[in-house]
Amino acid sequence: MIREADKYKDEDMRHRKKVEARNALEMYAYDMREFINDPDISSKISSKEKANINNATDLVFKWLDVNVVAEQQDFEHYSSILSSVFDPIVIKMIKDEGHCVQEGTMVGHPVNKKKNRWLPLLAKYCFETVYAATTGDITGIVSSVMIDFIKS
């Protein structure tokens, strides 16, 4: 009986990690869609970048619909595909935002510094989501994102 329990414990652990990886991938794809549909963000990215993100998320959603019994490494592979499309765009936006004339001003008008803080938080959240999808550990995301939002 103990051997059977150990066998099922391992099976349950593999299944849990697979489900967490699937959920993390799906959440990441939805977050990417929401990202490009945000009015503040959509004005800062090109139509080509939007199309690249839409194509990548469409690919993932179609794959998720068809592959109900995929393994954890498959979800991680598709997460890395999303990451390869999304991360360079976010990094470019962060770099572009940092090239203002002076911190706190934009074209001679004062800007709320907290408003400009969302992009690094978003980038951090995106990278942590990818990390969580690959490791299966989602507790780090929730705690670090909540702490960042509480601080700001």
Side-chain angles (χ1 to χ4, degrees):
M1 273 180 102
I2 294 174
R3 280 184 241 166
E4 280 184 33
D6 286 340
K7 176 187 171 190
Y8 290 127
K9 179 182 176 184
D10 292 341
E11 243 178 71
D12 288 344
M13 183 63 75
R14 279 193 302 275
H15 181 69
R16 188 182 115 240
K17 287 185 181 230
K18 184 170 74 168
V19 169
E20 286 175 352
R22 180 184 178 86
N23 291 342
L25 175 61
E26 192 170 18
M27 182 176 69
Y28 187 37
Y30 278 118
D31 287 347
M32 288 176 60
R33 280 262 170 95
E34 288 179 28
F35 178 80
I36 62 171
N37 291 328
D38 183 291
D40 292 334
I41 296 170
S42 67
S43 65
K44 296 179 182 181
I45 59 177
S46 70
S47 58
K48 182 180 177 184
E49 290 169 332
K50 287 179 195 175
N52 287 344
I53 290 173
N54 272 326
N55 291 339
T57 55
D58 286 343
L59 172 75
V60 168
F61 287 132
K62 287 176 186 175
W63 182 82
L64 284 170
D65 287 342
V66 173
N67 293 292
V68 178
V69 292
E71 294 298 319
Q72 181 180 354
Q73 63 267 17
D74 299 325
F75 297 117
E76 292 168 358
H77 171 72
Y78 277 88
S79 182
S80 68
I81 290 172
L82 287 178
S83 229
S84 69
V85 172
F86 189 62
D87 293 352
I89 294 169
V90 171
I91 290 169
K92 179 182 164 261
M93 287 180 67
I94 291 170
K95 286 181 181 178
D96 289 348
E97 187 173 284
H99 288 37
C100 294
V101 176
Q102 180 183 352
E103 186 176 351
T105 63
M106 182 179 277
V107 195
H109 299 287
V111 176
N112 184 354
K113 288 183 182 181
K114 280 191 175 184
K115 207 173 191 181
N116 289 335
R117 193 171 186 288
W118 67 267
L119 197 54
L121 286 175
L122 180 63
K124 179 181 177 184
Y125 175 72
C126 292
F127 292 126
E128 287 179 356
T129 302
V130 171
Y131 175 78
T134 57
T135 62
D137 178 22
I138 63 169
T139 56
I141 291 176
V142 175
S143 61
S144 68
V145 169
M146 291 304 291
I147 288 169
D148 286 339
F149 283 117
I150 290 170
K151 285 182 182 177
S152 58

